[in-house]
């Protein structure tokens, strides 16, 4: 926390302002404790997956959802459609157990997220597909034939 320094905005002298030049006792403790006991003790806490960013591309024939989620397996994903809502969920668990002469160390982790999207009525839900390669999840939402962009038709004058 930083200490406020009064600035003169009127003709009053700094001594006439209501600011205290010394920090208050609680802010002084916050400054000391905040710097010394910040995130050092929590450096490995909650290092799981955060909500991944998504790119949605609207092309002539389909919507394409790209999501960068590296380090996962295909079996970690739960992708489903319910009542025109597309849900993409991930649940990942890791566990390691190291045994040496004088010690045993066991670490585990859990991370998850869920993203949902409303599917437009222009999408053919029967033909939605997904693939996962090189850390990128791609979901293809093909458009219905009547929703696809038609090429420009030239009309000749008679």
């Amino acid at each position: 926390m930083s200490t406020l320094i009064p600035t003169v905005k009127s003709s009053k002298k700094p001594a006439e302002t209501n600011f205290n030049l010394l920090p208050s006792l609680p802010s002084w403790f916050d400054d000391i404790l905040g710097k010394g006991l910040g995130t050092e003790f929590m450096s490995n806490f909650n290092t799981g997956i955060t909500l991944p960013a998504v790119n949605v591309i609207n092309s002539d024939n389909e919507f394409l959802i790209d999501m960068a989620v590296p380090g996962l397996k295909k079996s970690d994903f739960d992708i489903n459609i319910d009542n025109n809502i597309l849900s993409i969920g991930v649940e990942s668990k890791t566990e390691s157990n190291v045994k040496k002469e004088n010690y045993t160390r066991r670490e585990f982790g859990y991370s998850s997220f869920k993203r949902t999207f409303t599917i437009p009525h222009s999408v053919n839900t029967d033909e939605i597909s997904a693939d996962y390669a090189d850390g990128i999840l791609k979901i293809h939402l093909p458009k219905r034939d009547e929703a696809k962009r038609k090429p420009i038709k030239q009309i000749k004058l008679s």
Side-chain angles (χ1 to χ4, degrees):
M1 181 181 287
S2 62
T3 306
L4 292 175
I5 299 173
T7 55
V8 179
K9 292 187 178 181
S10 66
S11 61
K12 290 183 177 182
K13 296 179 185 175
E16 295 174 327
T17 62
N18 292 330
F19 289 107
N20 187 355
L21 292 176
L22 296 174
S24 66
L25 192 58
S27 72
W28 182 72
F29 280 123
D30 287 345
D31 283 344
I32 291 173
L33 295 176
K35 290 176 186 163
L37 302 174
T39 57
E40 291 85 8
F41 293 113
M42 299 177 62
S43 62
N44 290 325
F45 182 72
N46 196 18
T47 56
I49 298 173
T50 57
L51 198 59
V54 173
N55 294 330
V56 178
I57 301 158
N58 183 1
S59 70
D60 291 343
N61 297 322
E62 71 175 357
F63 292 99
L64 176 64
I65 297 175
D66 284 342
M67 184 181 296
V69 282
L72 298 174
K73 301 178 297 246
K74 290 181 181 181
S75 61
D76 293 335
F77 291 95
D78 180 27
I79 303 169
N80 58 60
I81 299 170
D82 183 20
N83 205 18
N84 279 350
I85 302 291
L86 172 68
S87 297
I88 305 165
V90 167
E91 187 172 313
S92 176
K93 298 176 185 176
T94 59
E95 189 171 327
S96 67
N97 193 2
V98 178
K99 292 185 179 182
K100 296 242 178 168
E101 263 183 48
N102 296 329
Y103 70 93
T104 299
R105 183 178 81 192
R106 184 174 182 192
E107 294 183 1
F108 61 93
Y110 174 82
S111 58
S112 68
F113 73 84
K114 187 170 189 175
R115 298 282 316 249
T116 58
F117 303 90
T118 302
I119 300 174
H121 293 291
S122 61
V123 170
N124 185 352
T125 56
D126 294 332
E127 295 188 20
I128 293 176
S129 63
D131 57 82
Y132 179 69
D134 299 326
I136 305 292
L137 174 68
K138 292 182 182 269
I139 300 178
H140 302 271
L141 300 116
K143 293 181 180 178
R144 298 180 189 274
D145 287 336
E146 60 270 13
K148 291 180 182 176
R149 186 172 181 187
K150 309 281 189 280
I152 297 175
K153 180 180 177 182
Q154 184 68 35
I155 300 173
K156 295 185 180 183
L157 293 173
S158 54

